[in-house]
Amino acid sequence: MEARLNLMGSAVGGKVLKYVTSASKAAESGVVPQSTAELVKIRASQINGCGFCTDMHTKDATAAGETQQRLNLVATWREATVFTEAERAALELAEEGTRVADAAGGVPDEVWQRAAKHFDEEQLAALVVQIAIINAYNRVNVMIQQPAGSYQPGMFG
């Protein structure tokens, strides 16, 4: 299986993805715990059906020490007892931020308030941009049918 398009081989695609990757690195400034950031990226990628990003972020989370049990339960986080209240609030924000087209008015105030109980403004800013960026990556990879399974942690620097 091959991707429909080699975006990194494209002058425009490569340039844009370089900027998106730079923005992603800025958003991962350590303001939000890495485990929480990875869980958020995994959940958004699951919702969007992005196999490449789901593969990448589950492997990155594992390399960072995340447990298999928690990774197995990300898709069913509401019923799982293995996540902290802060992680649950971040996962809920990720779901609502990913499914904005499903709800008139976007992310409900209650969801935002639950997240704001656990994260300060700088952390909320980091979560918002991380959710937006992973959604952008997901959409690109789904459109070009980027194959999943071959990613290895550290592969992209």
Side-chain angles (χ1 to χ4, degrees):
M1 177 182 223
E2 285 187 35
R4 290 175 168 162
L5 181 66
N6 176 3
L7 277 178
M8 294 308 285
S10 157
V12 171
K15 184 176 184 180
V16 169
L17 289 179
K18 186 176 179 181
Y19 286 121
V20 175
T21 299
S22 178
S24 180
K25 287 181 193 275
E28 295 167 0
S29 59
V31 175
V32 174
Q34 184 182 0
S35 59
T36 302
E38 293 298 342
L39 294 172
V40 160
K41 292 172 193 172
I42 292 164
R43 186 63 191 125
S45 300
Q46 290 171 334
I47 292 166
N48 289 323
C50 183
F52 184 84
C53 290
T54 300
D55 179 51
M56 172 188 279
H57 294 291
T58 55
K59 287 176 178 173
D60 285 348
T62 299
E66 189 57 74
T67 68
Q68 192 61 54
Q69 180 188 31
R70 285 167 44 94
L71 293 175
N72 291 344
L73 293 171
V74 172
T76 57
W77 66 268
R78 291 177 193 278
E79 294 81 24
T81 59
V82 298
F83 301 107
T84 68
E85 286 302 313
E87 290 167 336
R88 297 170 71 74
L91 286 163
E92 184 178 34
L93 183 62
E95 282 192 3
E96 294 295 329
T98 297
R99 293 183 163 139
V100 292
D102 296 343
V107 175
D109 289 338
E110 314 81 66
V111 171
W112 185 263
Q113 290 164 356
R114 278 191 285 278
K117 280 180 17 183
H118 300 282
F119 301 99
D120 64 27
E121 284 194 16
E122 196 65 20
Q123 291 171 315
L124 287 168
L127 281 169
V128 166
V129 295
Q130 287 176 356
I131 292 164
I133 291 167
I134 194 60
N135 274 278
Y137 276 128
N138 291 164
R139 280 153 177 76
V140 166
N141 287 325
V142 168
M143 281 190 279
I144 66 169
Q145 295 183 347
Q146 186 66 42
S150 62
Y151 174 79
Q152 294 303 312
M155 196 169 158
F156 298 118

